[in-house]
Amino acid sequence: MKEINKITVSQFANAFLAGANNLESKKEWINELNVFPVPDGDTGTNMCMTIMSAAKAVSELEDPTMKTLAKAISSGSLRGARGNSGVILSQLFRGFSKVMGKCDEITTDVLCEAMQKSVETAYKAVMKPKEGTILTVARGAADKALEMVEVTDDLVYFVDEVIKEAELVLSKTPDMLPVLKQAGVVDSGGQGLVCVLQGGYDYLLGKDVKLTIGDDDSKKEESAPEEEQYTYHTDFVINLKKKFTNKNEQELKSFLESKGGHVRVNWNGDEISVSIRTDELGVVINKALELGVLTKIDIKNIQTEYDKTIKSMSSKKAASEIADATDSMKEEKPANNEPAKEMGFVSVSIGDGMNSIFKELGCDYIIEGGQTMNPSTDDVLSAIDKVNAKNVFVLPNNKNIILAANQAATLCEDKNVIVLPTKTIPQGITAIINFIPDQSVDENLSRMEEEIKNVKTGQVTYAVRDTVIDDKEISQGDYMGIGDSGILAVDKDMNKVFIDMLKEMVDDSTAIITIYYGDEVKEKDAIKLGKQVEEDFDSLEVEVQPGGQPVYYYVASVE
C-alpha cells in the first residue's frame, strides 16, 4: 500500500466509526474474557456503549472540522461512559481529543502527541491505576508511538507498529495480574482497546468496513428498497411509570416489529429508547403511552419534509396522541419552583425489594442498574438533575459504577455532588441509614464513609464456564459465594455455598446478618435458609428480606 502522510477530518471520522463498529462486533467475545465466570461479564458491553455514544455524536455532524469532531468524540464518550472500562476509554478519548482538536489534519507527529495526552489523562482519572489493564495496553501503544515518530512519517507503517505493540503488551497482561493468568484470559479492557485501534486501521488500509451507526442512513450510498415502504420514522424515549422486565422488553419489541421495521429498543433503567419506521404511528405512540411518559419525540415523514408531516398527517388519532404525550411531558416535569433542600440522595439499585428499601430510607431518585446493567455518566447526571437539593449524595453501590459517578460529579455545574464509594447494595443501605438530616454535609460524609467500612457483602450466583480462581476449581453450573475480595465458596448445593460463604465472612465483631433473596428464589426457600443460618450462627441476629435482584440468588450483609 502506498504511503499515507496525513489524514483529513472526514477520514479520521470514518476511522473512528470503523473502530467503534469493530468493537461492537466483538463485544460478546470481550464479555467472555471476564475473569470471574459470573453471568454478568460486561466489559465489552460497557466499552461498546461508551464508544457508540461518541460514534452517534460523530455520525450526526455535518461538515465537521477537527475541532467539532474532537468535541463530539470527547463529549459523547464522557457522557455515555459505563463501567470502569468505559470511563477509562472515555478518558483516553478525552486526552486524545485535546490535541487533535487543535489541528487541521492528522500526521504521525499529531498522532504521537495525542496518544501521550490520552494516556496521561486516563491515568490521572484513576485513583489507583493497576497494571495489566487497558491502561497498560494504552501506555504500551503510546510508548511505541514515541519510538516510531522518529522513524517514519508514513501513518500506515506507524499505526501498524503501534497496534503490534499494543497486542504484545496485551498478551503479557496475564503475567502482570495473576488473576488473569489463573483464569487463562488476557485483560478484557485492553482487548477492547485493541479492537478499536484495529478497526480504524482497517479503514486506513481501504478494507470494507462498516461506517454506519445503528439505523443511521445518512452515510449509506444508497437505500434498500424496503426502507421506502414506511411513511414515518420516529424516535422517542419512554420514561417508565410501571415495573418493566426482560419479558416486557421482548413483548414490546415483538409488538413494534409487527407494526413496522428497523425497530430498535434500548432499555436502560427507567428509560426506554425506541426507534421505528411505521405506517401506524398512532398505534405505536398509544402503546408507548401505556408504559409511561414520552420525551425526546422526533417524527419524520420518510417521503416528505418534516414540517409538512404534521400538517398532512392522515391519522388525527396519531396527532392527538402526540399532543397528549407532549402534555404529559409538561405535567410530569419536576417542579423546580420549590426551595431546594440542603441534601438529597441518588442511589443505583435493582430489584423491587432493594428499590423499596432505598425509597423508604429517603432516597430521592433510584437509577435502575448494577452488576448486569451499569448506568452511564449521563444516566447519573440526569438523576442528579431530578433531585431538588443543593448537595446530592450519590451511592453507586458497585465498584464498576464509581468511576462513572465521579465523572458525573465533575460534569455537574449547578449542584455539589458527593460520591460515596459504596461498592455493594448493603454498603449503600448502611450509608443512607446513617444519614442525619440535621448535620452538615461533611459530618454526614465522614460518618457514612466510616460506617460502610464495617459492612461485608457476600453474593451467591452460578458459574458460566469452567475455570480456576483463587485456587478453587469451578465447573460450569456450580454455585459460587463471592465476597468483597474474591470467591469464598463453591459447590453444587446453593445453601451449602451460602453457609460456607458466611463462615468466611463472620468474625468476633459481627452482630447481624441480613439476607436479601433474589427474583428467582421463593420466599419459603429463603425463610428456610434463614432458619438454617440462625442455627449455625445462634449468637447473631438474622434478618431475611426480599431483594428481587436478578442474577444473584442471595445477597448477604454482614455487620
Side-chain angles (χ1 to χ4, degrees):
M1 183 178 176
K2 69 177 184 179
E3 234 180 69
I4 296 177
N5 301 116
K6 63 181 180 181
I7 299 175
T8 65
V9 174
S10 60
Q11 288 174 326
F12 191 82
N14 284 341
F16 182 80
L17 295 175
N21 281 316
N22 192 47
L23 175 62
E24 183 181 45
S25 71
K26 296 177 173 64
K27 68 178 179 182
E28 292 304 330
W29 169 54
I30 295 169
N31 282 341
E32 291 172 5
L33 294 175
N34 190 28
V35 170
F36 288 100
V38 293
D40 63 3
D42 51 9
T43 298
T45 300
N46 285 338
M47 292 184 74
C48 181
M49 294 185 80
T50 300
I51 198 171
M52 280 301 167
S53 176
K56 185 174 185 295
V58 169
S59 67
E60 291 172 351
L61 291 174
E62 294 182 9
D63 299 322
T65 63
M66 202 65 84
K67 184 176 181 179
T68 59
L69 177 60
K71 183 177 180 181
I73 292 173
S74 179
S75 179
S77 60
L78 283 172
R79 298 184 75 90
R82 296 169 188 269
N84 293 342
S85 54
V87 172
I88 292 171
L89 183 65
S90 74
Q91 290 293 331
L92 287 169
F93 289 150
R94 181 188 181 200
F96 193 99
S97 299
K98 286 179 181 178
V99 174
M100 68 169 280
K102 299 175 183 178
C103 307
D104 295 324
E105 56 191 20
I106 302 292
T107 63
T108 54
D109 286 332
V110 172
L111 200 53
C112 179
E113 184 184 350
M115 291 180 72
Q116 308 313 309
K117 191 66 175 177
S118 173
V119 172
E120 177 190 330
T121 304
Y123 266 90
K124 283 182 179 177
V126 181
M127 185 133 349
K128 294 180 180 178
K130 186 182 291 186
E131 295 309 321
T133 66
I134 182 176
L135 288 170
T136 312
V137 175
R139 191 180 65 198
D143 288 347
K144 188 66 176 180
L146 272 176
E147 176 188 326
M148 292 305 299
V149 78
E150 301 294 332
V151 176
T152 182
D153 293 329
D154 177 16
L155 282 158
V156 175
Y157 179 40
F158 179 96
V159 174
D160 183 40
E161 290 298 311
V162 165
I163 292 176
K164 285 178 181 176
E165 182 66 19
E167 290 174 331
L168 177 62
V169 174
L170 176 66
S171 71
K172 294 178 179 178
T173 55
D175 296 325
M176 303 176 205
L177 280 176
V179 69
L180 292 175
K181 193 163 193 174
Q182 198 170 34
V185 296
V186 295
D187 178 67
S188 53
Q191 183 65 73
L193 179 61
V194 169
C195 288
V196 175
L197 296 175
Q198 187 63 57
Y201 182 57
D202 286 345
Y203 170 79
L204 198 62
L205 293 177
K207 292 184 180 181
D208 184 19
V209 294
K210 182 184 176 187
L211 300 179
T212 55
I213 301 300
D215 275 343
D216 179 18
D217 299 313
S218 63
K219 292 186 178 290
K220 293 183 181 178
E221 294 183 6
E222 54 184 69
S223 299
E226 67 170 295
E227 294 180 359
E228 304 299 330
Q229 67 183 356
Y230 300 112
T231 305
Y232 304 112
H233 180 181
T234 181
D235 298 290
F236 54 83
V237 173
I238 308 171
N239 287 332
L240 292 169
K241 292 300 177 185
K242 56 174 68 176
K243 182 180 178 181
F244 198 75
T245 64
N246 291 330
K247 182 180 179 182
N248 296 141
E249 182 183 17
Q250 291 305 313
E251 289 173 349
L252 174 61
K253 190 170 183 180
S254 297
F255 173 84
L256 293 174
E257 286 173 344
S258 72
K259 301 301 177 185
H262 300 274
V263 173
R264 284 189 294 120
V265 176
N266 182 22
W267 172 33
N268 180 28
D270 58 357
E271 290 185 348
I272 306 172
S273 298
V274 174
S275 179
I276 183 175
R277 294 184 175 207
T278 181
D279 286 325
E280 301 181 65
L281 184 59
V283 176
V284 169
I285 294 291
N286 191 49
K287 180 67 175 179
L289 285 169
E290 292 176 5
L291 299 173
V293 177
L294 305 195
T295 63
K296 301 178 183 176
I297 305 172
D298 181 42
I299 303 167
K300 291 183 177 68
N301 188 310
I302 298 170
Q303 313 297 333
T304 63
E305 297 175 9
Y306 173 72
D307 61 349
K308 295 178 182 177
T309 300
I310 300 300
K311 295 176 184 176
S312 61
M313 285 174 67
S314 58
S315 172
K316 291 182 180 179
K317 182 180 178 183
S320 172
E321 285 161 353
I322 293 167
D324 290 344
T326 304
D327 289 342
S328 296
M329 288 162 53
K330 293 175 182 176
E331 291 170 8
E332 293 291 332
K333 189 173 182 179
N336 288 324
N337 53 356
E338 295 180 6
K341 60 182 180 179
E342 195 63 29
M343 290 171 276
F345 276 87
V346 166
S347 176
V348 179
S349 175
I350 192 163
D352 290 345
M354 298 295 196
N355 294 349
S356 295
I357 292 170
F358 279 109
K359 288 175 183 175
E360 288 167 6
L361 291 172
C363 185
D364 298 274
Y365 192 87
I366 291 173
I367 305 172
E368 288 270 355
Q371 285 290 89
T372 54
M373 186 172 57
N374 295 157
S376 68
T377 297
D378 205 36
D379 291 332
V380 180
L381 269 174
S382 177
I384 292 167
D385 185 56
K386 291 172 183 173
V387 178
N388 190 22
K390 299 173 186 176
N391 303 280
V392 179
F393 289 102
V394 177
L395 306 174
N397 300 334
N398 187 299
K399 64 181 181 181
N400 207 32
I401 300 174
I402 294 174
L403 276 182
N406 285 333
Q407 192 151 279
T410 62
L411 293 174
C412 185
E413 298 176 349
D414 60 344
K415 294 173 184 175
N416 178 35
V417 180
I418 309 100
V419 178
L420 273 158
T422 52
K423 297 179 180 178
T424 64
I425 291 282
Q427 283 192 344
I429 291 172
T430 293
I432 199 167
I433 283 175
N434 283 278
F435 172 70
I436 301 176
D438 293 338
Q439 293 190 354
S440 69
V441 171
D442 290 342
E443 287 172 323
N444 274 296
L445 176 61
S446 177
R447 182 175 51 262
M448 289 189 288
E449 284 182 330
E450 196 58 37
E451 289 297 331
I452 64 176
K453 294 176 184 177
N454 299 322
V455 181
K456 298 177 186 176
T457 303
Q459 303 177 91
V460 175
T461 187
Y462 64 94
V464 295
R465 67 171 187 271
D466 297 349
T467 190
V468 177
I469 296 181
D470 299 337
D471 297 323
K472 292 180 173 62
E473 289 192 14
I474 302 168
S475 300
Q476 183 177 346
D478 283 352
Y479 294 106
M480 300 179 296
I482 305 173
D484 294 321
S485 57
I487 297 176
L488 303 179
V490 178
D491 201 88
K492 302 289 184 186
D493 185 302
M494 187 194 301
N495 285 11
K496 183 177 185 306
V497 164
F498 188 85
I499 297 296
D500 288 347
M501 178 182 73
L502 286 182
K503 288 177 180 177
E504 294 293 322
M505 297 168 65
V506 170
D507 57 28
D508 293 340
S509 65
T510 303
I512 182 170
I513 298 171
T514 306
I515 304 168
Y516 302 95
Y517 59 91
D519 62 354
E520 294 185 42
V521 177
K522 294 179 181 178
E523 182 181 14
K524 63 177 183 179
D525 293 334
I527 292 173
K528 182 179 178 181
L529 176 61
K531 289 180 179 177
Q532 185 179 344
V533 172
E534 286 178 338
E535 291 175 4
D536 290 359
F537 303 91
D538 54 8
S539 63
L540 304 179
E541 182 182 344
V542 178
E543 292 183 4
V544 178
Q545 297 197 35
Q549 70 276 3
V551 179
Y552 291 86
Y553 301 107
Y554 290 104
V555 173
S557 173
V558 174
E559 300 178 69

